[in-house]
PDB file of all heavy atoms in Angstrom:
ATOM      1  N   MET A1480      25.469 -34.681  25.720  1.00  0.00           N
ATOM      2  CA  MET A1480      26.550 -33.952  25.252  1.00  0.00           C
ATOM      3  C   MET A1480      27.751 -33.896  26.353  1.00  0.00           C
ATOM      4  O   MET A1480      27.438 -33.737  27.498  1.00  0.00           O
ATOM      5  CB  MET A1480      26.180 -32.536  24.876  1.00  0.00           C
ATOM      6  CG  MET A1480      27.235 -31.743  24.389  1.00  0.00           C
ATOM      7  SD  MET A1480      26.649 -30.074  23.903  1.00  0.00           S
ATOM      8  CE  MET A1480      28.143 -29.245  23.321  1.00  0.00           C
ATOM      9  N   ASP A1481      28.887 -34.114  25.918  1.00  0.00           N
ATOM     10  CA  ASP A1481      30.105 -34.102  26.954  1.00  0.00           C
ATOM     11  C   ASP A1481      30.282 -32.762  27.455  1.00  0.00           C
ATOM     12  O   ASP A1481      29.984 -31.667  26.760  1.00  0.00           O
ATOM     13  CB  ASP A1481      31.400 -34.509  26.290  1.00  0.00           C
ATOM     14  CG  ASP A1481      31.319 -35.946  25.906  1.00  0.00           C
ATOM     15  OD1 ASP A1481      30.624 -36.763  26.530  1.00  0.00           O
ATOM     16  OD2 ASP A1481      32.023 -36.372  24.934  1.00  0.00           O
ATOM     17  N   SER A1482      30.707 -32.573  28.687  1.00  0.00           N
ATOM     18  CA  SER A1482      30.993 -31.250  29.276  1.00  0.00           C
ATOM     19  C   SER A1482      32.176 -30.576  28.601  1.00  0.00           C
ATOM     20  O   SER A1482      33.104 -31.278  28.221  1.00  0.00           O
ATOM     21  CB  SER A1482      31.207 -31.399  30.855  1.00  0.00           C
ATOM     22  OG  SER A1482      32.284 -32.153  31.067  1.00  0.00           O
ATOM     23  N   LEU A1483      32.095 -29.401  28.557  1.00  0.00           N
ATOM     24  CA  LEU A1483      33.224 -28.625  27.871  1.00  0.00           C
ATOM     25  C   LEU A1483      34.433 -28.575  28.843  1.00  0.00           C
ATOM     26  O   LEU A1483      34.359 -28.187  30.006  1.00  0.00           O
ATOM     27  CB  LEU A1483      32.807 -27.166  27.609  1.00  0.00           C
ATOM     28  CG  LEU A1483      33.779 -26.191  27.047  1.00  0.00           C
ATOM     29  CD1 LEU A1483      34.192 -26.725  25.691  1.00  0.00           C
ATOM     30  CD2 LEU A1483      33.265 -24.788  27.085  1.00  0.00           C
ATOM     31  N   GLN A1484      35.609 -29.009  28.316  1.00  0.00           N
ATOM     32  CA  GLN A1484      36.799 -28.965  29.168  1.00  0.00           C
ATOM     33  C   GLN A1484      37.813 -27.914  28.580  1.00  0.00           C
ATOM     34  O   GLN A1484      37.885 -27.748  27.351  1.00  0.00           O
ATOM     35  CB  GLN A1484      37.533 -30.279  29.143  1.00  0.00           C
ATOM     36  CG  GLN A1484      36.786 -31.391  29.880  1.00  0.00           C
ATOM     37  CD  GLN A1484      37.579 -32.639  30.068  1.00  0.00           C
ATOM     38  OE1 GLN A1484      38.469 -32.908  29.303  1.00  0.00           O
ATOM     39  NE2 GLN A1484      37.203 -33.527  31.018  1.00  0.00           N
ATOM     40  N   ILE A1485      38.414 -27.124  29.403  1.00  0.00           N
ATOM     41  CA  ILE A1485      39.338 -26.106  28.963  1.00  0.00           C
ATOM     42  C   ILE A1485      40.584 -26.225  29.822  1.00  0.00           C
ATOM     43  O   ILE A1485      40.594 -26.467  31.049  1.00  0.00           O
ATOM     44  CB  ILE A1485      38.744 -24.621  29.234  1.00  0.00           C
ATOM     45  CG1 ILE A1485      37.481 -24.477  28.432  1.00  0.00           C
ATOM     46  CG2 ILE A1485      39.639 -23.628  28.999  1.00  0.00           C
ATOM     47  CD1 ILE A1485      36.697 -23.234  28.664  1.00  0.00           C
ATOM     48  N   ALA A1486      41.663 -26.073  29.205  1.00  0.00           N
ATOM     49  CA  ALA A1486      42.967 -26.082  29.751  1.00  0.00           C
ATOM     50  C   ALA A1486      43.712 -24.837  29.221  1.00  0.00           C
ATOM     51  O   ALA A1486      43.945 -24.612  28.130  1.00  0.00           O
ATOM     52  CB  ALA A1486      43.856 -27.306  29.313  1.00  0.00           C
ATOM     53  N   SER A1487      43.984 -23.965  30.282  1.00  0.00           N
ATOM     54  CA  SER A1487      44.687 -22.655  29.885  1.00  0.00           C
ATOM     55  C   SER A1487      46.012 -22.588  30.556  1.00  0.00           C
ATOM     56  O   SER A1487      46.096 -22.995  31.668  1.00  0.00           O
ATOM     57  CB  SER A1487      43.825 -21.481  30.269  1.00  0.00           C
ATOM     58  OG  SER A1487      42.555 -21.544  29.739  1.00  0.00           O
ATOM     59  N   PHE A1488      46.880 -22.034  29.815  1.00  0.00           N
ATOM     60  CA  PHE A1488      48.239 -21.914  30.322  1.00  0.00           C
ATOM     61  C   PHE A1488      48.832 -20.578  30.043  1.00  0.00           C
ATOM     62  O   PHE A1488      48.520 -19.962  28.974  1.00  0.00           O
ATOM     63  CB  PHE A1488      49.264 -22.968  29.689  1.00  0.00           C
ATOM     64  CG  PHE A1488      48.832 -24.424  29.847  1.00  0.00           C
ATOM     65  CD1 PHE A1488      48.122 -24.978  28.884  1.00  0.00           C
ATOM     66  CD2 PHE A1488      49.360 -25.060  30.932  1.00  0.00           C
ATOM     67  CE1 PHE A1488      47.695 -26.394  29.041  1.00  0.00           C
ATOM     68  CE2 PHE A1488      49.038 -26.395  31.081  1.00  0.00           C
ATOM     69  CZ  PHE A1488      48.117 -27.016  30.153  1.00  0.00           C
ATOM     70  N   VAL A1489      49.604 -20.017  31.026  1.00  0.00           N
ATOM     71  CA  VAL A1489      50.354 -18.752  30.803  1.00  0.00           C
ATOM     72  C   VAL A1489      51.790 -19.245  30.878  1.00  0.00           C
ATOM     73  O   VAL A1489      52.288 -19.862  31.838  1.00  0.00           O
ATOM     74  CB  VAL A1489      50.085 -17.761  32.058  1.00  0.00           C
ATOM     75  CG1 VAL A1489      51.040 -16.585  31.824  1.00  0.00           C
ATOM     76  CG2 VAL A1489      48.634 -17.409  31.993  1.00  0.00           C
ATOM     77  N   VAL A1490      52.558 -18.728  29.858  1.00  0.00           N
ATOM     78  CA  VAL A1490      53.920 -19.150  29.671  1.00  0.00           C
ATOM     79  C   VAL A1490      54.772 -17.866  29.688  1.00  0.00           C
ATOM     80  O   VAL A1490      54.529 -17.063  28.904  1.00  0.00           O
ATOM     81  CB  VAL A1490      54.218 -20.000  28.426  1.00  0.00           C
ATOM     82  CG1 VAL A1490      55.604 -20.447  28.247  1.00  0.00           C
ATOM     83  CG2 VAL A1490      53.231 -21.198  28.329  1.00  0.00           C
ATOM     84  N   ARG A1491      55.841 -17.803  30.643  1.00  0.00           N
ATOM     85  CA  ARG A1491      56.635 -16.720  30.710  1.00  0.00           C
ATOM     86  C   ARG A1491      58.051 -17.035  30.618  1.00  0.00           C
ATOM     87  O   ARG A1491      58.599 -18.030  31.268  1.00  0.00           O
ATOM     88  CB  ARG A1491      56.487 -16.010  32.006  1.00  0.00           C
ATOM     89  CG  ARG A1491      57.189 -14.633  32.008  1.00  0.00           C
ATOM     90  CD  ARG A1491      57.115 -14.024  33.420  1.00  0.00           C
ATOM     91  NE  ARG A1491      58.182 -14.651  34.247  1.00  0.00           N
ATOM     92  CZ  ARG A1491      58.313 -14.473  35.490  1.00  0.00           C
ATOM     93  NH1 ARG A1491      57.378 -13.903  36.234  1.00  0.00           N
ATOM     94  NH2 ARG A1491      59.397 -14.972  36.128  1.00  0.00           N
ATOM     95  N   PHE A1492      58.754 -16.509  29.714  1.00  0.00           N
ATOM     96  CA  PHE A1492      60.192 -16.769  29.346  1.00  0.00           C
ATOM     97  C   PHE A1492      61.037 -15.595  30.107  1.00  0.00           C
ATOM     98  O   PHE A1492      60.802 -14.398  29.743  1.00  0.00           O
ATOM     99  CB  PHE A1492      60.471 -16.792  27.904  1.00  0.00           C
ATOM    100  CG  PHE A1492      60.033 -17.923  27.207  1.00  0.00           C
ATOM    101  CD1 PHE A1492      58.582 -17.983  26.866  1.00  0.00           C
ATOM    102  CD2 PHE A1492      60.773 -18.992  26.853  1.00  0.00           C
ATOM    103  CE1 PHE A1492      58.093 -19.086  26.149  1.00  0.00           C
ATOM    104  CE2 PHE A1492      60.218 -20.052  26.189  1.00  0.00           C
ATOM    105  CZ  PHE A1492      58.876 -20.130  25.892  1.00  0.00           C
ATOM    106  N   GLN A1493      62.033 -15.980  30.888  1.00  0.00           N
ATOM    107  CA  GLN A1493      62.894 -15.079  31.413  1.00  0.00           C
ATOM    108  C   GLN A1493      64.365 -15.388  31.073  1.00  0.00           C
ATOM    109  O   GLN A1493      64.802 -16.514  31.336  1.00  0.00           O
ATOM    110  CB  GLN A1493      62.756 -14.903  33.025  1.00  0.00           C
ATOM    111  CG  GLN A1493      63.628 -13.954  33.687  1.00  0.00           C
ATOM    112  CD  GLN A1493      63.451 -13.920  35.212  1.00  0.00           C
ATOM    113  OE1 GLN A1493      62.672 -14.764  35.701  1.00  0.00           O
ATOM    114  NE2 GLN A1493      64.136 -13.040  35.847  1.00  0.00           N
ATOM    115  N   LEU A1494      65.143 -14.457  30.553  1.00  0.00           N
ATOM    116  CA  LEU A1494      66.513 -14.667  30.159  1.00  0.00           C
ATOM    117  C   LEU A1494      67.312 -14.949  31.438  1.00  0.00           C
ATOM    118  O   LEU A1494      67.399 -14.056  32.301  1.00  0.00           O
ATOM    119  CB  LEU A1494      67.063 -13.572  29.425  1.00  0.00           C
ATOM    120  CG  LEU A1494      68.438 -13.806  28.812  1.00  0.00           C
ATOM    121  CD1 LEU A1494      68.498 -14.958  27.843  1.00  0.00           C
ATOM    122  CD2 LEU A1494      68.933 -12.563  27.953  1.00  0.00           C
ATOM    123  N   ALA A1495      67.987 -16.154  31.562  1.00  0.00           N
ATOM    124  CA  ALA A1495      68.722 -16.457  32.797  1.00  0.00           C
ATOM    125  C   ALA A1495      70.198 -16.196  32.639  1.00  0.00           C
ATOM    126  O   ALA A1495      70.852 -15.774  33.503  1.00  0.00           O
ATOM    127  CB  ALA A1495      68.499 -17.902  33.179  1.00  0.00           C
ATOM    128  N   ALA A1496      70.630 -16.410  31.433  1.00  0.00           N
ATOM    129  CA  ALA A1496      72.101 -16.135  31.176  1.00  0.00           C
ATOM    130  C   ALA A1496      72.387 -16.230  29.682  1.00  0.00           C
ATOM    131  O   ALA A1496      71.516 -16.840  28.979  1.00  0.00           O
ATOM    132  CB  ALA A1496      72.869 -17.235  31.893  1.00  0.00           C
ATOM    133  N   VAL A1497      73.548 -15.713  29.309  1.00  0.00           N
ATOM    134  CA  VAL A1497      73.975 -15.813  27.904  1.00  0.00           C
ATOM    135  C   VAL A1497      75.478 -16.330  28.031  1.00  0.00           C
ATOM    136  O   VAL A1497      76.219 -15.834  28.715  1.00  0.00           O
ATOM    137  CB  VAL A1497      73.856 -14.411  27.203  1.00  0.00           C
ATOM    138  CG1 VAL A1497      74.556 -14.651  25.754  1.00  0.00           C
ATOM    139  CG2 VAL A1497      72.569 -13.952  27.211  1.00  0.00           C
ATOM    140  N   GLU A1498      75.721 -17.401  27.310  1.00  0.00           N
ATOM    141  CA  GLU A1498      77.041 -18.036  27.217  1.00  0.00           C
ATOM    142  C   GLU A1498      77.942 -17.069  26.456  1.00  0.00           C
ATOM    143  O   GLU A1498      77.694 -16.696  25.349  1.00  0.00           O
ATOM    144  CB  GLU A1498      77.068 -19.367  26.631  1.00  0.00           C
ATOM    145  CG  GLU A1498      76.282 -20.490  27.405  1.00  0.00           C
ATOM    146  CD  GLU A1498      76.373 -21.770  26.706  1.00  0.00           C
ATOM    147  OE1 GLU A1498      77.237 -22.090  25.747  1.00  0.00           O
ATOM    148  OE2 GLU A1498      75.597 -22.662  27.162  1.00  0.00           O
ATOM    149  N   LYS A1499      78.969 -16.704  27.203  1.00  0.00           N
ATOM    150  CA  LYS A1499      80.006 -15.737  26.438  1.00  0.00           C
ATOM    151  C   LYS A1499      80.573 -16.171  25.175  1.00  0.00           C
ATOM    152  O   LYS A1499      80.627 -15.469  24.209  1.00  0.00           O
ATOM    153  CB  LYS A1499      80.997 -15.313  27.459  1.00  0.00           C
ATOM    154  CG  LYS A1499      80.537 -14.515  28.583  1.00  0.00           C
ATOM    155  CD  LYS A1499      81.757 -14.098  29.591  1.00  0.00           C
ATOM    156  CE  LYS A1499      81.149 -13.278  30.679  1.00  0.00           C
ATOM    157  NZ  LYS A1499      82.228 -12.837  31.574  1.00  0.00           N
ATOM    158  N   GLU A1500      80.966 -17.443  25.093  1.00  0.00           N
ATOM    159  CA  GLU A1500      81.706 -17.931  23.897  1.00  0.00           C
ATOM    160  C   GLU A1500      80.720 -18.097  22.718  1.00  0.00           C
ATOM    161  O   GLU A1500      81.140 -17.837  21.585  1.00  0.00           O
ATOM    162  CB  GLU A1500      82.398 -19.302  24.197  1.00  0.00           C
ATOM    163  CG  GLU A1500      83.586 -19.049  25.256  1.00  0.00           C
ATOM    164  CD  GLU A1500      84.225 -20.336  25.531  1.00  0.00           C
ATOM    165  OE1 GLU A1500      83.900 -21.381  24.960  1.00  0.00           O
ATOM    166  OE2 GLU A1500      85.090 -20.324  26.437  1.00  0.00           O
ATOM    167  N   THR A1501      79.560 -18.794  23.006  1.00  0.00           N
ATOM    168  CA  THR A1501      78.631 -18.984  21.906  1.00  0.00           C
ATOM    169  C   THR A1501      77.432 -18.016  21.773  1.00  0.00           C
ATOM    170  O   THR A1501      76.874 -17.971  20.629  1.00  0.00           O
ATOM    171  CB  THR A1501      78.052 -20.453  22.065  1.00  0.00           C
ATOM    172  OG1 THR A1501      77.229 -20.354  23.314  1.00  0.00           O
ATOM    173  CG2 THR A1501      79.150 -21.518  22.293  1.00  0.00           C
ATOM    174  N   GLY A1502      77.207 -17.297  22.772  1.00  0.00           N
ATOM    175  CA  GLY A1502      76.182 -16.384  22.625  1.00  0.00           C
ATOM    176  C   GLY A1502      74.674 -17.032  22.845  1.00  0.00           C
ATOM    177  O   GLY A1502      73.737 -16.371  22.797  1.00  0.00           O
ATOM    178  N   LYS A1503      74.893 -18.276  23.222  1.00  0.00           N
ATOM    179  CA  LYS A1503      73.507 -19.097  23.462  1.00  0.00           C
ATOM    180  C   LYS A1503      72.943 -18.589  24.614  1.00  0.00           C
ATOM    181  O   LYS A1503      73.468 -18.400  25.733  1.00  0.00           O
ATOM    182  CB  LYS A1503      73.808 -20.639  23.515  1.00  0.00           C
ATOM    183  CG  LYS A1503      72.646 -21.465  23.678  1.00  0.00           C
ATOM    184  CD  LYS A1503      73.015 -22.894  23.793  1.00  0.00           C
ATOM    185  CE  LYS A1503      71.723 -23.803  24.102  1.00  0.00           C
ATOM    186  NZ  LYS A1503      71.974 -25.138  24.153  1.00  0.00           N
ATOM    187  N   LYS A1504      71.585 -18.490  24.438  1.00  0.00           N
ATOM    188  CA  LYS A1504      70.771 -17.955  25.579  1.00  0.00           C
ATOM    189  C   LYS A1504      70.158 -19.087  26.452  1.00  0.00           C
ATOM    190  O   LYS A1504      69.774 -20.032  25.814  1.00  0.00           O
ATOM    191  CB  LYS A1504      69.613 -17.005  25.071  1.00  0.00           C
ATOM    192  CG  LYS A1504      70.008 -15.810  24.425  1.00  0.00           C
ATOM    193  CD  LYS A1504      68.899 -15.036  23.791  1.00  0.00           C
ATOM    194  CE  LYS A1504      69.414 -13.705  23.099  1.00  0.00           C
ATOM    195  NZ  LYS A1504      68.253 -12.950  22.497  1.00  0.00           N
ATOM    196  N   GLN A1505      70.187 -18.915  27.714  1.00  0.00           N
ATOM    197  CA  GLN A1505      69.600 -19.880  28.584  1.00  0.00           C
ATOM    198  C   GLN A1505      68.373 -19.300  29.244  1.00  0.00           C
ATOM    199  O   GLN A1505      68.445 -18.099  29.738  1.00  0.00           O
ATOM    200  CB  GLN A1505      70.472 -20.312  29.723  1.00  0.00           C
ATOM    201  CG  GLN A1505      71.766 -20.979  29.138  1.00  0.00           C
ATOM    202  CD  GLN A1505      72.823 -21.385  30.220  1.00  0.00           C
ATOM    203  OE1 GLN A1505      72.633 -20.893  31.355  1.00  0.00           O
ATOM    204  NE2 GLN A1505      73.805 -22.019  29.858  1.00  0.00           N
ATOM    205  N   TRP A1506      67.273 -20.013  29.154  1.00  0.00           N
ATOM    206  CA  TRP A1506      66.010 -19.346  29.561  1.00  0.00           C
ATOM    207  C   TRP A1506      65.437 -20.100  30.762  1.00  0.00           C
ATOM    208  O   TRP A1506      65.682 -21.364  31.007  1.00  0.00           O
ATOM    209  CB  TRP A1506      64.942 -19.410  28.494  1.00  0.00           C
ATOM    210  CG  TRP A1506      65.266 -18.696  27.308  1.00  0.00           C
ATOM    211  CD1 TRP A1506      65.884 -19.179  26.173  1.00  0.00           C
ATOM    212  CD2 TRP A1506      64.925 -17.327  27.058  1.00  0.00           C
ATOM    213  NE1 TRP A1506      66.010 -18.057  25.279  1.00  0.00           N
ATOM    214  CE2 TRP A1506      65.512 -16.899  25.709  1.00  0.00           C
ATOM    215  CE3 TRP A1506      64.362 -16.265  27.788  1.00  0.00           C
ATOM    216  CZ2 TRP A1506      65.340 -15.687  25.281  1.00  0.00           C
ATOM    217  CZ3 TRP A1506      64.256 -15.066  27.240  1.00  0.00           C
ATOM    218  CH2 TRP A1506      64.739 -14.698  26.046  1.00  0.00           C
ATOM    219  N   ARG A1507      64.784 -19.365  31.719  1.00  0.00           N
ATOM    220  CA  ARG A1507      63.989 -19.948  32.758  1.00  0.00           C
ATOM    221  C   ARG A1507      62.555 -19.752  32.355  1.00  0.00           C
ATOM    222  O   ARG A1507      62.115 -18.622  31.966  1.00  0.00           O
ATOM    223  CB  ARG A1507      64.207 -19.220  34.180  1.00  0.00           C
ATOM    224  CG  ARG A1507      63.457 -20.039  35.217  1.00  0.00           C
ATOM    225  CD  ARG A1507      63.869 -19.604  36.621  1.00  0.00           C
ATOM    226  NE  ARG A1507      63.738 -18.112  36.696  1.00  0.00           N
ATOM    227  CZ  ARG A1507      64.147 -17.455  37.804  1.00  0.00           C
ATOM    228  NH1 ARG A1507      64.782 -18.097  38.773  1.00  0.00           N
ATOM    229  NH2 ARG A1507      64.028 -16.171  37.880  1.00  0.00           N
ATOM    230  N   ILE A1508      61.801 -20.818  32.334  1.00  0.00           N
ATOM    231  CA  ILE A1508      60.450 -20.727  31.766  1.00  0.00           C
ATOM    232  C   ILE A1508      59.465 -21.088  32.902  1.00  0.00           C
ATOM    233  O   ILE A1508      59.498 -22.165  33.467  1.00  0.00           O
ATOM    234  CB  ILE A1508      60.255 -21.626  30.508  1.00  0.00           C
ATOM    235  CG1 ILE A1508      61.352 -21.426  29.509  1.00  0.00           C
ATOM    236  CG2 ILE A1508      58.975 -21.586  29.921  1.00  0.00           C
ATOM    237  CD1 ILE A1508      61.569 -22.600  28.489  1.00  0.00           C
ATOM    238  N   LYS A1509      58.484 -20.235  33.186  1.00  0.00           N
ATOM    239  CA  LYS A1509      57.508 -20.429  34.064  1.00  0.00           C
ATOM    240  C   LYS A1509      56.147 -20.687  33.465  1.00  0.00           C
ATOM    241  O   LYS A1509      55.791 -19.831  32.641  1.00  0.00           O
ATOM    242  CB  LYS A1509      57.414 -19.374  35.093  1.00  0.00           C
ATOM    243  CG  LYS A1509      56.308 -19.591  36.237  1.00  0.00           C
ATOM    244  CD  LYS A1509      56.259 -18.644  37.299  1.00  0.00           C
ATOM    245  CE  LYS A1509      55.608 -17.282  36.988  1.00  0.00           C
ATOM    246  NZ  LYS A1509      55.417 -16.358  38.099  1.00  0.00           N
ATOM    247  N   VAL A1510      55.558 -21.773  33.828  1.00  0.00           N
ATOM    248  CA  VAL A1510      54.303 -22.160  33.127  1.00  0.00           C
ATOM    249  C   VAL A1510      53.183 -22.211  34.370  1.00  0.00           C
ATOM    250  O   VAL A1510      53.466 -22.815  35.273  1.00  0.00           O
ATOM    251  CB  VAL A1510      54.188 -23.638  32.481  1.00  0.00           C
ATOM    252  CG1 VAL A1510      52.890 -23.947  31.918  1.00  0.00           C
ATOM    253  CG2 VAL A1510      55.300 -23.563  31.339  1.00  0.00           C
TER     254      VAL A1510
END
């Protein structure tokens, strides 16, 4: 039997900026 492989990730979104004209959000994402 093959050994069990696990890949775990923690993903964090932090709002970096909001464009004034469009309101589009820019995110910094840490994985």
Side-chain angles (χ1 to χ4, degrees):
M1480 181 175 181
D1481 292 334
S1482 63
L1483 178 65
Q1484 290 187 343
I1485 297 174
S1487 302
F1488 300 91
V1489 175
V1490 181
R1491 188 184 87 194
F1492 291 80
Q1493 180 179 4
L1494 185 59
V1497 178
E1498 291 181 17
K1499 290 183 181 181
E1500 293 179 6
T1501 64
K1503 183 178 178 181
K1504 296 178 181 177
Q1505 297 174 352
W1506 296 94
R1507 181 167 60 187
I1508 309 164
K1509 181 169 81 171
V1510 177

